[in-house]
């Protein structure tokens, strides 16, 4: 199974196109400013400065984190991707110059990492566990692939290939090589991308080596730590035996998502890629097992993963605290990447369902509507005073910020959005799978021939998708994802309901012909949702959804102390135009109850004499992704179930 | 106002006597073993070893924390106090030898602190903020006072006075003295105890100085940090300007309990003492203001305080998370000490109410029923798996442990329990205040004459207290605390209901005569309690109380996933003998609902299609203090309000 790419898909939107435009018009230029340390009173990035120093153009010390280079590489990838669907001569020039700068900074033997080049180069490759060299290499490779595919220029691709060749000489099972693997995975999936361009078996082999060697008996991280005279493992960590780094046992034996969430998900993405390229069934099975653990037992309703701020990590099944949550934007994006790869491994609608969940909730919540403020942590419950005064919650920023010292999230969001054209459709032989719904023009060569489609929809504002078949071939099959949330839908071919096969979350339409008009209409009522009874943190709470979009209550609409607002499972909701924000989705209104403070006086903290009194209010809900665009305030996704609901 | 002491009060119990006996039979001997590092597979204490090394008897390095000596001093205090109500020749011998050992370890100029004596003595008094010398000095003084009062022996008292004299020479506003004050308060209240024995004005003056100087403009902690070339304040802390140490502004200007909970409460205890001794109204007012903030806005229903594990600290008003709670045993004990002092500042029943709350809940929960396992942190919700797998909750130990490297709590509990005889009654001129109810014989000289009472009760098993007046004098007044939880009560004098004045939480009985029999019967129904609507963490939750005792649900009685158990505010409870544990209080049984997992399958984490189904169960509740005496398991104080309660 393969995905259609930006050359084959023109995304018209509206919803996804606006996100792409925001990436191109706001995120990418803004981040270029950031990479050049030009944003007033924001934490500096140092990226360009470091690269110039490594290239001996300037003489400044290294600034920022050990993985700082990756921010630049991710920006290059995002910017290059944007060129595949929107030409921009000035941006292309910036990219060419940056590619040359990086080539200039590269050492003769192919090594490049400004941290080690500007500190002590003799130390390179001595701390794979903590110091992210192979992670940065991975992002360089991804950037190079994107730049090459967008522009056909080899500058950066050659730089990447030289570094990949060096890494191949350094690491592997052959005599004289280090049997290491990265502490932060990323290079595995990057090498597969490189392989898809170079078709150089060495790149596939190296990716496979990193995955197969990981967690092997020898415990490389402990070996290299001993060699450094450093301590093994991570102090104060509950993750024994390098499990924080997914290196506790071989990857095929790992059954639960554990440790650093982004690392876990980049590893799984690389595993899925290698499984697809090599047909490795055991590796594919491991991916499917982990997919279940993550999406069915460790994922927030908005798609966020990584429950613990300690180590940005997964914790355990059904542990989903809404207040102490971490839910890093990068982790949501990483899960989107993993889901995209699973879609290429097997045709199952659930992978597309999770892409939907992520795309309309837990990923884009990481930026504001203007595209110039960002969240690193995405809470499901925000109480600004608590973040300020109870240090356990200090990692939850009550407002999006301009930039971060560790700015992994904004460039990650940019590259995910810039890659949307290649995220909508997959195909296998003669079957085209519609995984994400967006207005778009498809013009693609499948095994059996050419297909041209015009897809029109305002999804997720509504669930109506119409598809005009402009060109098709004998034996063409169109598969439409049937989201899990859909209860009723109609599907008509040229106005007549048509028989379809439903399998694994797809509706299969056999042999649509040129001129056919398909109308797929998914009813999109507001749903009041509960969590599995094993989830402690959501017991007695209700969430509000419409289609794939999770809604939340904000202080701006509902006042503070949102924990006193309760709704009933049979509440009737009214979808209204969102008056206070410019978003393409409706706000929701419903009757709710608010617990009154009335009978309490300041001298009672606990009492058995007050029967609570409730005021009936009209509560307003906005899409979760759009929260905190109207200043600082409380927010809640999960609301209390009204104690009166039973008599409603 | 003064308190009756152990010479005037014989505690018969049963409840409090059992606690005292447990302290004498279990805690104190067990802790002596611990102090001598004789408990197998428990963290060593090093206390005696350090003292012997400081006395040049042995030659071992210092072991344990910088405040390790205080554990020994607290044990001496507890052991001495126990001698005031139960003779023990062997224990007295241990105490004498220990007192001599400490005297031998003291330096010629009076200084004593094994950490500095065994590290670098030249460093002494250079880091008052972090290094606890004055805190240890305070515990030495308290131990010395208790040892002197129990035995009449001066060895330790002289040692304490010599150290106090040195401290007086070192610190103060006079020229040539350091204008410092302790980073961990304790010496203030200790010096007042010393003053009550020595009547040396210098001791009162020094206590007053430490309180008045605290938080003054000069910011001593920053000065000494600069002198050390160290950083000011505490890294990563949300507490700016030394507020973590209650030194942000002068104590009379502090309105909210802030920073380290035990430090805050020891400071307030010292402030209340100085206010009483000096009649300082502004200081008394500051104590009352802080009392309100703590007990009405920052105290858990079980009496615990200190909401944050980060820095064992207070956070802010109405922030009372049940899961991330810290609630250190020492902090509960410190609040008990503060409440005891407020009782001597003014006759208000609410101080006794909080003593009750603490005595029967959040303090004694720190030890098991056997008296040989201890909690440092006292959660209101325990999920063992979460403590093991989500590091945010790692500070919550799912089971009591044998001992701690930092073992402040067990000896603190021992000295609090050993001091109970002096915690029950206060008097002012001719009025005797009954603050805590326990079977006890009172034989005391008030201003107007002698009073002899025999008080009999099984409180808190029941609310019935009978008082036989054996001797009284003209103008004697007896004041009985009327707890806030009492709704109905009867009070009879010789069988006839008698007119009484009710004022500030006390019932005043005028002129009881010898031979009078007073029967005070407080109805003690089970109460279903709610928290103030400003408390986020308790919204939609109910707690169960009977008299002053808070109950909880344990896995041992109710199975796991206690978040799925819900009760109704009008639930009827049955008090039954607690069959599974040997405790003098009943267990409670009630109908409850348990959410069923039934309709869910493993593939659904969130769903709008399942209407929850509830099984009616008989839930059993046990007193909170007795939880975790039957192995590891879940526990909850606050239970969900049943969604069906409205139609009950």
């Amino acid at each position: 199974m393969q995905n259609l790419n930006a050359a084959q898909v023109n995304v018209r939107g509206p919803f996804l196109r606006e996100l792409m435009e925001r990436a191109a018009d706001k995120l990418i230029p803004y981040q270029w400013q950031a990479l050049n340390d030009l944003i007033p009173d924001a934490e500096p990035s140092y990226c360009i400065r470091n690269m110039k120093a490594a290239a001996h153009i300037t003489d400044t010390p290294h600034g920022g984190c050990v993985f700082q280079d990756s921010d630049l590489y991710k920006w290059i990838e995002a910017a290059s991707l944007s060129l595949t669907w929107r030409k921009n001569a000035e941006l292309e020039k910036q990219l060419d110059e940056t590619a040359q700068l990086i080539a200039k900074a590269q050492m003769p033997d192919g090594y490049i990492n400004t941290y080690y080049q500007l500190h002590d180069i003799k130390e390179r490759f001595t701390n794979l566990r903590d110091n992210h060299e192979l992670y940065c290499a991975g992002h360089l490779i991804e950037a190079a692939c994107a730049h090459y595919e967008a522009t056909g220029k080899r500058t950066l691709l050659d730089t990447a290939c030289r570094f990949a060749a060096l890494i191949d000489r350094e690491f592997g099972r052959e005599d004289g090589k280090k049997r290491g693997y990265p502490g932060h995975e990323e290079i595995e999936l990057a090498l597969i991308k490189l392989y898809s361009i170079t078709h150089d078996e060495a790149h596939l082999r190296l990716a496979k080596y990193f995955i197969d060697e990981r967690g092997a008996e020898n415990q490389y991280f402990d070996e290299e730590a001993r060699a450094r005279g450093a301590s093994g493992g991570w102090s104060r960590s509950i993750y024994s035996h390098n499990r924080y780094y997914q290196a506790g046992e071989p990857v095929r034996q790992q059954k639960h998502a554990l440790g650093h969430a982004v690392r876990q998900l980049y590893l799984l993405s690389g595993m899925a890629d290698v499984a697809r390229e090599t047909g490795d069934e055991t590796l594919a099975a491991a991916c499917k097992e982990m997919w279940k653990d993550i999406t069915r037992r460790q994922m927030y309703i908005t798609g966020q993963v990584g429950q613990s701020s300690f180590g940005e990590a997964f914790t355990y099944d059904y542990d989903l605290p809404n207040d102490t949550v971490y839910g890093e934007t990068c982790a949501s994006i990483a899960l989107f990447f993993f889901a995209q790869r699973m879609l290429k491994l097997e045709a199952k609608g659930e992978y597309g369902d999770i892409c939907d969940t992520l795309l309309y909730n837990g990923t884009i919540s990481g930026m504001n509507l203007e595209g110039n403020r960002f969240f690193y942590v995405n809470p499901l419950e925000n109480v600004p005073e608590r973040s300020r005064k109870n240090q356990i919650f200090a990692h939850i920023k009550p407002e999006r910020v301009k930039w971060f010292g560790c700015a992994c999230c904004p460039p990650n969001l940019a590259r995910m959005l810039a890659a949307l054209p290649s995220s909508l459709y997959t195909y296998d032989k003669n079957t085209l799978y519609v995984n994400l719904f967006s207005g778009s023009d498809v013009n693609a060569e499948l095994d059996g021939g050419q297909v041209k489609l015009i897809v029109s929809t305002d999804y997720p504002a509504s669930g109506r998708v119409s598809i005009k078949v402009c060109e098709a071939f004998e034996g063409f099959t169109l598969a439409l994802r049937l989201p899990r949330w859909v209860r009723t839908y109609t599907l008509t071919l040229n106005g007549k309901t048509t028989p379809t096969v439903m399998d694994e979350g797809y509706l299969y339409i056999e042999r649509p012909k040129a001129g056919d008009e398909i109308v797929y209409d998914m009813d999109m009522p507001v749903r009041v949702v509960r969590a599995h009874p094993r989830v402690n943190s959501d017991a007695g709470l209700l969430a509000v959804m419409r289609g794939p979009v999770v809604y939340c209550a904000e202080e701006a609409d509902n006042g503070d102390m949102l924990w006193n607002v309760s709704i009933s499972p049979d509440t009737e909701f009214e979808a209204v135009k969102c008056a206070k924000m410019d978003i393409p989705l409706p706000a929701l209104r419903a009757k709710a109850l608010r617990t009154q403070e009335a009978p309490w006086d300041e001298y009672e903290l606990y009492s058995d004499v007050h029967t609570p009194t409730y005021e009936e209010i009209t509560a307003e809900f906005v899409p979760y992704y759009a929260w905190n665009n109207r200043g600082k305030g409380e927010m809640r996704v999960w609301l209390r179930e009204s104690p009166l609901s039973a008599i409603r």
Side-chain angles (χ1 to χ4, degrees), chain A:
Chain A
M1 197 117 52
Q2 299 180 56
N3 59 298
L4 300 190
N5 60 33
Q8 301 161 306
V9 180
N10 168 47
V11 177
R12 294 197 321 279
F15 196 100
L16 298 189
R17 184 73 195 190
E18 188 281 324
L19 289 176
M20 291 160 60
E21 302 288 352
R22 203 189 311 174
D25 295 334
K26 304 291 183 68
L27 294 181
I28 292 168
Y30 183 84
Q31 289 170 24
W32 179 248
Q33 298 299 306
L35 296 170
N36 287 278
D37 307 328
L38 297 174
I39 296 177
D41 21 278
E43 297 195 52
S45 153
Y46 306 107
C47 275
I48 295 295
R49 193 187 92 170
N50 290 341
M51 204 53 77
K52 283 183 176 161
H56 305 295
I57 296 167
T58 58
D59 180 16
T60 51
H62 183 271
C65 308
V66 63
F67 45 77
Q68 212 70 12
D69 295 350
S70 60
D71 291 351
L72 176 61
Y73 299 147
K74 283 191 284 187
W75 175 84
I76 293 171
E77 185 184 358
S80 302
L81 287 165
S82 73
L83 293 180
T84 62
W85 46 268
R86 200 174 84 176
K87 293 271 153 273
N88 179 335
E90 190 204 341
L91 180 61
E92 191 163 347
K93 186 157 167 302
Q94 283 171 351
L95 283 165
D96 294 344
E97 287 165 4
T98 309
Q100 279 145 22
L101 173 62
I102 294 167
K104 197 163 186 315
Q106 185 168 42
M107 293 170 64
D109 68 355
Y111 184 85
I112 178 161
N113 181 294
T114 64
Y115 177 85
Y116 280 100
Q117 289 174 273
L118 299 177
H119 284 90
D120 183 357
I121 192 64
K122 291 189 303 305
E123 296 290 308
R124 77 185 201 183
F125 295 140
T126 57
N127 186 359
L128 297 190
R129 188 185 71 201
D130 308 319
N131 285 359
H132 294 72
E133 285 160 289
L134 297 178
Y135 166 85
C136 291
H139 279 301
L140 168 64
I141 293 168
E142 283 201 280
C145 294
H147 187 239
Y148 171 76
E149 291 190 308
T151 65
K153 293 168 185 168
R154 297 196 56 96
T155 322
L156 205 57
L157 187 64
D158 293 339
T159 303
C161 288
R162 277 194 298 273
F163 198 11
L166 170 66
I167 294 166
D168 197 21
R169 291 195 300 277
E170 290 271 338
F171 298 98
R173 288 187 170 140
E174 299 80 1
D175 292 347
K177 292 187 178 183
K178 293 199 184 79
R179 292 188 65 160
Y181 36 84
H184 194 314
E185 303 90 328
E186 152 67 20
I187 194 169
E188 302 85 349
L189 67 90
L191 283 165
I192 299 300
K193 271 193 188 170
L194 188 59
Y195 171 66
S196 71
I197 292 172
T198 62
H199 307 296
D200 179 344
E201 289 294 329
H203 296 146
L204 174 58
R205 249 196 342 266
L206 186 56
K208 184 168 161 32
Y209 157 76
F210 281 132
I211 285 166
D212 293 344
E213 182 66 18
R214 191 166 202 86
E217 271 318 307
N218 66 337
Q219 283 295 311
Y220 183 78
F221 293 148
D222 296 342
E223 276 183 13
E224 72 168 2
R226 277 191 296 274
R228 289 197 312 277
S231 77
W234 180 22
S235 69
R236 285 184 54 237
S237 171
I238 58 175
Y239 303 101
S240 59
H241 203 251
N242 293 314
R243 286 195 175 79
Y244 178 75
Y245 316 93
Q246 302 80 43
E249 44 276 308
V251 298
R252 289 169 181 78
Q253 294 168 29
Q254 296 174 23
K255 300 275 172 271
H256 293 281
L258 209 62
H260 190 272
V262 173
R263 300 179 201 218
Q264 174 72 82
L265 288 158
Y266 281 4
L267 168 63
L268 288 167
S269 299
M271 286 163 63
D273 283 339
V274 170
R276 194 183 72 255
E277 291 292 346
T278 63
D280 184 328
E281 283 306 322
T282 61
L283 204 54
C287 290
K288 293 171 191 173
E289 183 81 23
M290 289 294 260
W291 169 267
K292 283 187 192 150
D293 182 64
I294 292 165
T295 61
R296 296 167 187 182
R297 293 186 287 269
Q298 294 204 69
M299 186 186 77
Y300 288 91
I301 191 169
T302 41
Q304 280 98 299
V305 287
Q307 303 98 310
S308 171
S309 60
F310 191 99
E312 313 183 311
F314 283 105
T315 58
Y316 64 100
D317 291 353
Y318 300 109
D319 179 46
L320 292 157
N322 296 304
D323 51 359
T324 60
V325 54
Y326 200 67
E328 182 185 349
T329 304
C330 279
S332 303
I333 293 165
L335 180 54
F336 183 86
F337 291 157
F338 179 38
Q340 283 281 313
R341 282 159 170 92
M342 292 307 286
L343 276 170
K344 295 201 277 179
L345 208 52
E346 57 177 348
K348 277 197 174 180
E350 69 172 285
Y351 302 126
D353 289 351
I354 298 297
C355 287
D356 249 10
T357 301
L358 290 158
L359 191 50
Y360 299 111
N361 301 291
T363 56
I364 59 173
S365 57
M367 65 178 170
N368 65 350
L369 297 175
E370 272 187 67
N372 61 1
R373 296 287 184 278
F374 307 94
F375 273 136
Y376 195 112
V377 169
N378 294 272
L380 280 80
E381 175 188 326
N382 182 54
V383 179
E385 185 176 20
R386 186 170 60 191
S387 297
R388 221 168 57 247
K389 297 182 177 176
N390 184 333
Q391 193 132 4
I392 297 287
F393 301 89
H395 64 286
I396 296 168
K397 299 279 163 273
E399 285 193 293
R400 293 183 183 84
V401 301
K402 285 181 167 185
W403 200 249
F404 311 93
C406 169
C408 48
C409 299
N412 231 355
L413 204 46
R415 71 192 186 122
M416 172 197 166
L417 298 178
L420 279 176
S422 57
S423 307
L424 275 49
Y425 301 90
T426 49
Y427 75 94
D428 181 28
K429 303 190 187 64
N430 293 343
T431 305
L432 182 70
Y433 293 89
V434 183
N435 298 311
L436 299 180
F437 305 110
S438 173
S440 49
D441 312 313
V442 175
N443 185 349
E445 176 89 27
L446 309 194
D447 294 7
Q450 197 71 17
V451 174
K452 281 191 189 169
L453 306 175
I454 297 172
V455 180
S456 305
T457 179
D458 64 354
Y459 187 92
S462 86
R464 182 183 169 89
V465 181
S466 66
I467 303 171
K468 188 162 181 25
V469 182
C470 306
E471 188 177 336
F473 57 86
E474 184 55 33
F476 170 56
T477 301
L478 187 63
L480 304 174
R481 182 171 59 89
L482 178 62
R484 193 180 175 80
W485 55 262
V486 173
R487 301 276 160 265
T488 60
Y489 67 92
T490 59
L491 180 62
T492 62
L493 180 68
N494 304 323
K496 287 186 294 298
T497 52
T498 172
T500 54
V501 182
M502 208 279 268
D503 183 40
E504 292 286 9
Y506 286 100
L507 298 167
Y508 287 82
I509 304 169
E510 308 286 348
R511 283 181 293 287
K513 302 176 306 302
D516 280 354
E517 181 101 33
I518 296 159
V519 176
Y520 180 31
D521 202 341
M522 300 166 276
D523 291 331
M524 199 181 268
V526 176
R527 297 165 357 253
V528 176
V529 177
R530 293 175 193 273
H532 193 291
R534 287 184 172 275
V535 180
N536 182 349
S537 305
D538 298 337
L541 301 179
L542 302 170
V544 178
M545 295 186 71
R546 181 172 176 279
V549 178
V550 177
Y551 279 72
C552 69
E554 279 200 283
E555 182 175 343
D557 302 308
N558 305 287
D560 66 355
M561 289 195 275
L562 292 171
W563 54 84
N564 285 327
V565 175
S566 58
I567 59 173
S568 160
D570 54 14
T571 301
E572 281 170 18
F573 290 83
E574 180 194 5
V576 297
K577 179 168 184 355
C578 187
K580 296 155 186 160
M581 288 186 285
D582 177 23
I583 55 172
L585 301 184
L588 302 176
R589 287 216 189 99
K591 292 249 170 300
L593 295 181
R594 179 179 265 280
T595 312
Q596 297 299 290
E597 260 189 82
W600 292 77
D601 67 39
E602 64 155 322
Y603 303 107
E604 305 168 292
L605 186 49
Y606 306 103
S607 167
D608 59 307
V609 294
H610 302 309
T611 314
T613 58
Y614 303 98
E615 177 194 11
E616 189 163 85
I617 60 168
T618 301
E620 187 157 333
F621 302 84
V622 296
Y624 171 74
Y625 78 80
W627 87 275
N628 184 240
N629 277 281
R630 291 171 292 166
K632 196 184 289 185
E634 286 182 22
M635 180 277 296
R636 268 178 90 102
V637 168
W638 290 96
L639 295 175
R640 281 169 53 202
E641 176 172 9
S642 162
L644 309 185
S645 54
I647 51 168
R648 273 290 174 94

